[in-house]
Amino acid sequence: MTRNGYRAHVLAIPYPAQGHINPLLQFSKRLASSKGLKVTLANTIFIANSLNLPKSAGSVQLETISDGYDDGGFPLAESIAAYLSRLQDVGYQSVAEIITRHKATPNPIECIIYDPFLPWALDVAKQYGLVAAAFFSQSCTVNYTYYLEHHHGIIWSPASVPNNLPLGLHILEPQDMPSFFSVPGSYPAYSELVLNQFSHIEKADFIFANTFYKLEEEVVDSMSQVCPMLTIGPTIPSAYLDNSIEDDKGYGFSLFEIDSFCTDWLNTKPPGSVVYVAFGSMASLSDKQMKELALGLKATNFHFLWVVRASEEEKLPDKLKEETAEKGLLVNWSPQLEVLSHKAIGCFFTHGGWNSTIEALSSGVPMVVMPQWTDQPTNSKLIESLWKVGVRVKVDETSGLVGREEVEQCVREVMGEMGIAMKRNAKKWRELAIEAVSEGGTSDKNIDEFVSKLTSV
Ligand code: UDP
């Protein structure tokens, strides 16, 4: 131990969105609680102020950086591109100030762990002579498609996949590609963002992937040949996995107000009887799609707990709440991990966001996946075909919607006979996830390798 009892001081910089803060915060907690590091995590000033954040989240110290929109965050920006550009300019200076401020303290910052959605953070680290580690918060399969596009210009077309894809990616069909490839031209700023993750990645000293080895074995092996990486996941609160961190029951950091009565409601329901429906923090369904989903859920006659964010509520069909009051509970935001690990849950109707996916796997819950965009189609393929823990809904080609009958049928499949094998598989993945993060597991060893190299610099 050096420097006030810490082995080294790390600054973690997540991309300012719920699905990116959660995993990096959780990884930070593990480094701080179990590996002897001092970890400081920087949120944007807007997020910190609007949540009235304290100075620490468990064992992790909190700092702030500016994204250039301190009074309102992303919604104030005139476009995605404008937000990203200002975040880069102002964020760079902010991070540099934090490093400078800590320089004369007993614990100067020695390493930056950054989300590669912010590739400029790597430049700040190198400008100040610090160790830099990229933390990829999406699946390795998805990361590898972006890597290949960035480095080799592999031409992914909506209608076909390139020949001779490396092992692991060979299972992907056109509809399984990240949406930036299958719907070319959609969200150009985000498309550039995901590819730029690899813009000068060779300068990073470590690359972390929020997955675990056995989950994506083939693709981790093939990608590691060209881009060595350490699998360190799943990064979910330890109470749901190895229980090695004291009092680590939740992310402890929510950009939305949690409706905590969900669990009281679930307590009144029989085991395996409830469909949990949630689409993460960003997905926005059309009014028509909301209606089909609502009518499909209603037709199953199963109990359901449906997260509809406040901004989406007006899309719900009139009187749905009243008509389904006996069977359904609608909330604006749930304590998702508590919900998924509740014995009343029989299946998770999800958009297939990467955090939601690994949370469901780590809780042993089978899924119905209705992917919307970005990495979700690829995750859906892995859920259905590789891990065999769920089904992916089919979109009606004429209407572009997932119809109510399809919703009903998929839920019935997973809640019924077919779901038994999926549940068994999901429980196997849960065991393997626990093994990976437990002492001596693949993720744990990789974290130890990083810490020992960092502290011997
Ligand atoms: N989440 C939650 N309550 C909800 C819905 C989502 O706590 O009602 C959390 C969920 O546990 C996950 C994150 O929000 O950690 C969503 O991340 P994901 O990658 O699944 O989706 P994104 O929001 O990035 O689309």
Side-chain angles (χ1 to χ4, degrees), residues 17-29:
Q18 187 79 62
H20 287 249
I21 298 169
N22 282 1
L24 188 48
L25 172 61
Q26 216 46 51
F27 183 52
S28 300
K29 282 190 204 163

Side-chain angles (χ1 to χ4, degrees), residues 186-204:
S186 59
Y187 296 98
Y190 281 141
S191 176
E192 205 182 313
L193 180 77
V194 296
L195 299 182
N196 270 345
Q197 295 184 97
F198 292 99
S199 62
H200 49 322
I201 195 79
E202 60 291 343
K203 292 195 180 144

Side-chain angles (χ1 to χ4, degrees), residues 366-387:
M367 291 169 257
V368 175
V369 205
M370 186 162 92
Q372 301 298 301
W373 70 309
T374 172
D375 59 337
Q376 296 151 20
T378 318
N379 300 339
S380 307
K381 172 69 173 183
L382 303 178
I383 289 167
E384 186 174 67
S385 307
L386 186 63
W387 308 320

Side-chain angles (χ1 to χ4, degrees), residues 213-390:
Y213 180 68
K214 284 192 180 157
L215 191 63
E216 294 188 273
E217 193 167 346
E218 281 190 333
V219 89
V220 171
D221 282 343
S222 50
M223 186 170 174
S224 289
Q225 288 174 17
V226 291
C227 180
M229 67 182 62
L230 299 169
T231 53
I232 50 78
T235 54
I236 67 170
S238 125
Y240 301 95
L241 290 172
D242 57 331
N243 212 7
S244 65
I245 303 173
E246 207 180 315
D247 233 4
D248 187 27
K249 296 194 181 73
Y251 291 106
F253 191 98
S254 184
L255 302 184
F256 302 84
E257 199 172 327
I258 296 176
D259 293 320
S260 46
F261 52 83
C262 298
T263 35
D264 297 335
W265 184 81
L266 288 173
N267 287 340
T268 66
K269 303 293 173 274
S273 68
V274 178
V275 182
Y276 171 57
V277 188
F279 299 98
S281 60
M282 292 170 86
S284 173
L285 306 184
S286 67
D287 295 22
K288 282 186 180 157
Q289 186 60 77
M290 283 292 256
K291 184 169 180 198
E292 293 304 310
L293 181 54
L295 295 178
L297 286 173
K298 198 171 154 198
T300 66
N301 215 26
F302 287 118
H303 295 293
F304 63 86
L305 167 59
W306 185 1
V307 178
V308 181
R309 297 192 315 277
S311 55
E312 297 285 288
E313 252 180 326
E314 61 177 27
K315 299 177 185 171
L316 284 169
D318 291 342
K319 300 205 185 117
L320 178 83
K321 250 186 195 166
E322 294 84 342
E323 284 171 16
T324 56
E326 262 186 42
K327 286 283 174 182
L329 178 67
L330 291 162
V331 297
N332 291 141
W333 194 252
S334 82
Q336 183 156 300
L337 270 162
E338 256 179 73
V339 168
L340 286 172
S341 59
H342 196 288
K343 61 181 185 334
I345 297 298
C347 114
F348 181 16
F349 201 114
T350 171
H351 65 318
W354 185 239
N355 294 293
S356 294
T357 301
I358 46 178
E359 286 164 7
L361 285 171
S362 304
S363 309
V365 175
M367 291 169 257
V368 175
V369 205
M370 186 162 92
Q372 301 298 301
W373 70 309
T374 172
D375 59 337
Q376 296 151 20
T378 318
N379 300 339
S380 307
K381 172 69 173 183
L382 303 178
I383 289 167
E384 186 174 67
S385 307
L386 186 63
W387 308 320
K388 300 185 173 31
V389 291

Side-chain angles (χ1 to χ4, degrees), residues 34 53 116 151 194 253 263 269 271 361 398 415 424:
S34 315
L53 283 181
H151 281 288
V194 296
F253 191 98
T263 35
K269 303 293 173 274
L361 285 171
T398 319
M415 292 291 275
R424 205 178 310 124

Side-chain angles (χ1 to χ4, degrees), residues 11-58:
L11 176 65
I13 312 176
Y15 180 77
Q18 187 79 62
H20 287 249
I21 298 169
N22 282 1
L24 188 48
L25 172 61
Q26 216 46 51
F27 183 52
S28 300
K29 282 190 204 163
R30 196 166 276 275
L31 293 175
S33 305
S34 315
K35 307 294 178 187
L37 300 185
K38 175 170 176 155
V39 187
T40 301
L41 182 135
N43 283 298
T44 62
I45 292 174
F46 168 66
I47 287 180
N49 287 349
S50 49
L51 296 184
N52 205 5
L53 283 181
K55 286 206 160 34
S56 65

Side-chain angles (χ1 to χ4, degrees), residues 140-152:
C140 199
T141 307
V142 166
N143 294 336
Y144 201 14
T145 66
Y146 296 151
Y147 174 93
L148 289 174
E149 179 69 23
H150 181 78
H151 281 288
H152 303 291

